[in-house]
Amino acid sequence: MGAAAGIYALIAVVGAAPEVAGAVGLTSLQTEAVLLILLVMLGHGLVWRFMAGAGRLAEAGDSGPKRD
């Protein structure tokens, strides 16, 4: 959660003061694009973790819905 908040904060800073993007040698549009890519990658990683195991019901001791 902290990483996403940090990326959102950086997006807000670059949006409010686009000249800070020049510090890393990119235009403000390029910097925003990189930050949004990182945000999407972070979201993808969290969903993958949830779907691949960490959030599954079977690991929590519940076998899910009963089937007849």
Side-chain angles (χ1 to χ4, degrees):
M1 292 281 190
I7 294 173
Y8 276 117
L10 287 173
I11 290 171
V13 167
V14 174
E19 62 274 1
V20 299
V24 293
L26 298 173
T27 66
S28 59
L29 185 61
Q30 290 171 328
T31 305
E32 292 281 351
V34 168
L35 290 171
L36 289 173
I37 289 168
L38 290 174
L39 195 60
V40 168
M41 286 175 50
L42 180 65
H44 181 271
L46 290 173
V47 168
W48 181 265
R49 183 176 177 193
F50 175 75
M51 296 299 286
R56 301 195 74 149
L57 291 174
E59 290 182 5
D62 185 10
S63 61
K66 302 291 184 205
R67 296 185 180 168
D68 293 327

